[in-house]
């Protein structure tokens, strides 16, 4: 059953949830003397950390430029979905933290880009570590946010994040890939793009590019920047 889920594209984390639930049920069967032993006790979950890949800068640039032109989906306009994805890459925030953001969460250094550090602060109750931290953001992204957040109510959620972010992102990724393939005229070039791993959901190594991969891209870029381990933490 787990194998079929994996072949259908289900993430390792979701498969682990199914396995955990089945194991709980089997342990109850043993405790309640309905079964002599747990036949699933030898099964272990997959390693979630090896399941995802970080999208390259080129893939992200294409995605951010293509998604704003897509139709409204899951209650979010294309431009809003693109900004959600970019904010995830620029901050490393998880889904719940992104959903909790309001204009008040952002300190954009009063629009002064010659000095000062712009930050975005996620609410502690939505952070995995339970802390409220001010996350520094790049000056160029702060400029984009000044325009995007202009005129909004300070306590209004910035993003109407749907529950099915994984499906939403995968659909946008598929459409962006199709547009990238059709962006070249010659059939030979299209075949080459079709056989590449640019913007593919699952690569030949089995790793997938899902919504949480945007956080992986943030971490990958942070390490590549040469940031000291203490600063990265």
């Amino acid at each position: 059953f787990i194998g079929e889920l994996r072949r259908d594209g289900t993430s390792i984390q979701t498969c682990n949830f199914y396995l955990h639930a089945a194991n709980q049920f089997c342990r109850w069967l043993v405790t309640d003397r309905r079964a002599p032993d747990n036949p699933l006790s030898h099964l272990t979950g997959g390693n979630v950390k090896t399941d995802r890949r970080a999208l390259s800068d080129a893939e992200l640039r294409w995605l951010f430029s293509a998604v704003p032109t897509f139709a409204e989906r899951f209650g979010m306009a294309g431009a809003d979905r693109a900004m959600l994805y970019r904010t995830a890459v620029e901050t490393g925030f998880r889904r719940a933290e992104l959903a909790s953001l309001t204009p008040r969460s952002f300190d954009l250094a009063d629009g002064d880009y010659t000095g000062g550090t712009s930050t975005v602060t996620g609410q502690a109750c939505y952070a995995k570590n339970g802390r409220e931290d001010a996350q520094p953001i790049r000056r160029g992204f702060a400029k984009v946010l000044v325009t995007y957040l202009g005129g909004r109510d300070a306590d209004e959620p910035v993003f109407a994040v749907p529950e099915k972010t994984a499906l939403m992102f995968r659909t946008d990724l598929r459409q962006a890939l199709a547009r990238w393939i059709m962006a070249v005229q010659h059939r030979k070039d299209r075949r080459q793009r079709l056989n590449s791993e640019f913007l593919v959901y699952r690569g030949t190594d089995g790793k997938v590019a899902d919504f949480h991969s945007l956080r992986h891209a943030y971490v990958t870029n942070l390490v590549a920047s040469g940031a000291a381990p203490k600063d990265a933490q």
Side-chain angles (χ1 to χ4, degrees):
F1 172 69
I2 297 296
E4 289 177 357
L5 289 177
R6 291 291 292 146
R7 284 189 291 273
D8 290 340
T10 305
S11 70
I12 289 180
Q13 181 168 322
T14 299
C15 290
N16 286 349
F17 288 148
Y18 279 111
L19 180 58
H20 178 70
N23 253 314
Q24 279 188 315
F25 176 66
C26 289
R27 284 196 296 269
W28 172 80
L29 290 175
V30 175
T31 301
D32 208 50
R33 297 184 179 181
R34 296 172 180 267
D37 54 42
N38 178 1
L40 304 183
S41 60
H42 65 291
L43 297 180
T44 57
N47 186 348
V48 176
K49 293 183 179 180
T50 64
D51 191 35
R52 296 186 176 95
R53 71 179 183 91
L55 292 169
S56 68
D57 288 344
E59 289 175 299
L60 290 172
R61 282 195 296 270
W62 182 270
L63 188 69
F64 296 157
S65 64
V67 174
T69 66
F70 296 166
E72 180 176 327
R73 185 174 291 144
F74 294 91
M76 294 187 72
D80 294 326
R81 299 198 306 275
M83 184 58 69
L84 171 66
Y85 301 156
R86 183 171 179 182
T87 304
V89 172
E90 296 275 359
T91 64
F93 281 0
R94 298 175 175 85
R95 177 194 172 281
E97 292 171 295
L98 292 166
S100 72
L101 296 179
T102 66
R104 198 185 298 277
S105 305
F106 296 86
D107 180 0
L108 302 179
D110 296 326
D112 178 12
Y113 307 113
T114 61
T117 300
S118 296
T119 62
V120 55
T121 303
Q123 296 182 34
C125 59
Y126 294 103
K128 195 170 183 179
N129 61 8
R131 296 188 327 204
E132 185 174 275
D133 293 322
Q135 180 81 308
I137 54 178
R138 297 184 309 120
R139 190 169 298 169
F141 184 51
K143 290 183 179 181
V144 174
L145 286 170
V146 167
T147 301
Y148 184 74
L149 298 176
R152 295 179 183 239
D153 185 271
D155 296 311
E156 172 191 355
V158 175
F159 303 113
V161 183
E163 290 187 8
K164 296 183 178 180
T165 50
L167 180 58
M168 179 178 73
F169 182 78
R170 188 171 181 176
T171 305
D172 281 334
L173 192 69
R174 186 186 302 116
Q175 188 173 353
L177 171 59
R179 181 168 296 184
W180 179 72
I181 293 173
M182 297 303 294
V184 291
Q185 294 182 350
H186 298 294
R187 189 174 300 176
K188 179 181 177 182
D189 294 332
R190 288 181 179 175
R191 280 200 303 268
Q192 288 180 339
R193 290 193 171 193
L194 184 63
N195 294 326
S196 77
E197 298 204 352
F198 190 85
L199 289 175
V200 297
Y201 173 71
R202 186 183 299 279
T204 55
D205 58 1
K207 294 184 178 181
V208 301
D210 61 5
F211 184 81
H212 198 74
S213 293
L214 299 174
R215 174 176 166 82
H216 284 232
Y218 169 79
V219 175
T220 298
N221 290 335
L222 185 62
V223 173
S225 73
K230 183 178 180 181
D231 292 335
Q233 289 174 352

